[in-house]
Amino acid sequence: MKILGSIQETRNLVKEWKAQGLSVALVPTMGYLHEGHKSLMERARKENDKVVVSIFVNPMQFGPNEDLEAYPRDLNRDAKICEAAGVDLIFHPEVSEMYGPDFHGFVDMTVLPEKLCGASRPVHFKGVQTVVTKLFHIIPAQRAYFGQKDAQQLAIIRRMVIDLDFDIEIIGCPIIREEDGLAKSSRNTYLSEEERRQAVILNESLNDAMCAIEAGEKDAAKVKEIITAKLNTCPLAKIDYVEVVSFDNIQPIEKVEGAVLIAIAVYIGTTRLIDNRIIM
Ligand code: AMP
């Protein structure tokens, strides 16, 4: 397995592979890898000849008061996980390699980034779209793998690829959870023991919503009420949002029908966690 920080060297190696007729997969990450990332790598490994994992904590997608500095980083640990998953190349650039002193470009979109995480993190998806565009240009893979954990991000990337004619297939992969149901996240490391215990409330509130929907509930407002009521039983939980939206355009809906995304963001103490259910 190779680890490269240079855009040019990475591009050259991927071009070599493609010239040999090999299929290439990209798994974009911010590192501090866990089983969720591993599931994307393993799926990419099965479906492609070469697997590239990018590890880059992208400053452009963090707001001024967010956790850019605190975000956990450990390249040695990540490299071992990648090696064990059969990854061929880690692309791990410095910030200065990705954003030179005269950098002014960005990619943004209307409508899809406005709601959910975009409402409380106004610069986030502009940063995500810009860095993913750069990664798609540096590593011209046939397929890129994203987790449904970040469902709005997945919807935005899918839309961006269609709208801007990227020649890449976007594969969405299921959420990997801890044994008690908490969605795996690099940010779970911020939680104290008590916060970690209470953080299961996100998944439990979504389970309650799914039970109600399976029992015939179609009213999106009622579904939101069920989730909110459950979250409010948890002393350490502070709701950022609870939303029921169309998975196609991330706009609020009144009836649970068609492709639906139920998405929540909740502070447990000072740590903001997200979770969701997608109904197709
Ligand atoms: P991150 O490093 O948090 O930017 O995540 C990189 C990729 O891994 C994104 O496509 C995430 O959606 C995906 N991912 C993160 N956590 C999970 C999880 N628990 N299950 C599945 N995919 C995940």
Side-chain angles (χ1 to χ4, degrees):
M1 186 184 71
K2 274 195 168 221
I3 303 179
L4 295 176
S6 146
I7 290 174
Q8 201 51 55
E9 285 177 37
T10 301
R11 184 175 273 153
N12 290 345
L13 181 56
V14 175
K15 271 192 192 157
E16 245 175 62
W17 288 339
K18 293 191 80 175
Q20 292 165 24
L22 300 172
S23 61
V24 178
L26 170 64
V27 182
T29 83
M30 296 204 301
Y32 216 73
L33 304 175
H34 51 66
E35 300 287 326
H37 301 111
K38 225 172 112 189
S39 72
L40 308 187
M41 295 180 215
E42 283 166 355
R43 171 106 187 252
R45 180 67 285 160
K46 276 201 201 107
E47 297 177 351
N48 302 274
D49 297 316
K50 296 286 182 187
V51 177
V52 184
V53 171
S54 62
I55 298 180
F56 180 60
V57 183
N58 174 34
M60 209 196 207
Q61 70 190 65
F62 287 78
N65 298 316
E66 294 183 356
D67 58 342
L68 175 62
E69 298 305 323
Y71 199 86
R73 295 158 169 92
D74 189 340
L75 183 63
N76 287 336
R77 178 182 169 279
D78 288 348
K80 284 188 195 125
I81 293 171
C82 288
E83 184 113 56
V87 168
D88 299 283
L89 167 64
I90 295 177
F91 175 54
H92 179 59
E94 294 291 334
V95 172
S96 56
E97 178 75 357
M98 293 294 271
Y99 300 112
D102 294 322
F103 190 92
H104 288 298
F106 65 85
V107 182
D108 207 353
M109 188 189 279
T110 57
V111 183
L112 265 73
E114 283 170 0
K115 301 278 190 311
L116 313 184
C117 290
S120 47
R121 305 186 70 192
V123 299
H124 177 65
F125 288 116
K126 177 175 159 180
V128 168
Q129 289 170 83
T130 302
V131 81
V132 169
T133 297
K134 285 170 70 67
L135 291 170
F136 285 178
H137 286 141
I138 296 163
I139 301 146
Q142 272 91 344
R143 298 181 192 89
Y145 293 77
F146 291 87
Q148 285 171 8
K149 158 96 188 324
D150 300 274
Q152 187 176 15
Q153 168 175 283
L154 177 58
I156 285 173
I157 300 297
R158 280 197 200 287
R159 190 71 248 166
M160 182 183 89
V161 161
I162 294 169
D163 289 357
L164 303 183
D165 306 301
F166 283 94
D167 187 15
I168 191 164
E169 188 184 352
I170 303 301
I171 316 269
C173 302
I175 301 177
I176 305 297
R177 298 177 179 281
E178 303 286 354
E179 261 177 38
D180 64 2
L182 175 65
K184 298 228 180 204
S185 165
S186 310
R187 290 191 168 97
N188 291 350
T189 54
Y190 299 154
L191 299 169
S192 71
E193 215 171 289
E194 182 53 25
E195 287 168 346
R196 170 65 190 82
R197 213 177 55 74
Q198 294 197 24
V200 292
I201 198 77
L202 278 85
N203 183 52
E204 287 174 359
S205 71
L206 290 166
N207 281 345
D208 286 4
M210 291 307 287
C211 281
I213 290 166
E214 274 153 31
E217 185 59 76
K218 289 247 174 273
D219 184 342
K222 290 255 171 62
V223 172
K224 282 164 63 171
E225 266 172 43
I226 290 166
I227 297 171
T228 305
K230 180 74 170 194
L231 291 170
N232 284 339
T233 64
C234 177
L236 291 180
K238 196 174 132 270
I239 295 172
D240 180 9
Y241 66 75
V242 171
E243 293 291 352
V244 179
V245 299
S246 152
F247 187 45
D248 298 323
N249 62 13
I250 316 290
Q251 292 305 299
I253 50 174
E254 285 176 10
K255 285 248 161 306
V256 178
E257 55 194 10
V260 173
L261 168 64
I262 306 175
I264 63 177
V266 179
Y267 287 93
I268 302 290
T270 55
T271 304
R272 185 177 174 280
L273 299 176
I274 57 171
D275 203 347
N276 67 73
R277 294 287 188 280
I278 297 170
I279 306 166
M280 295 302 273

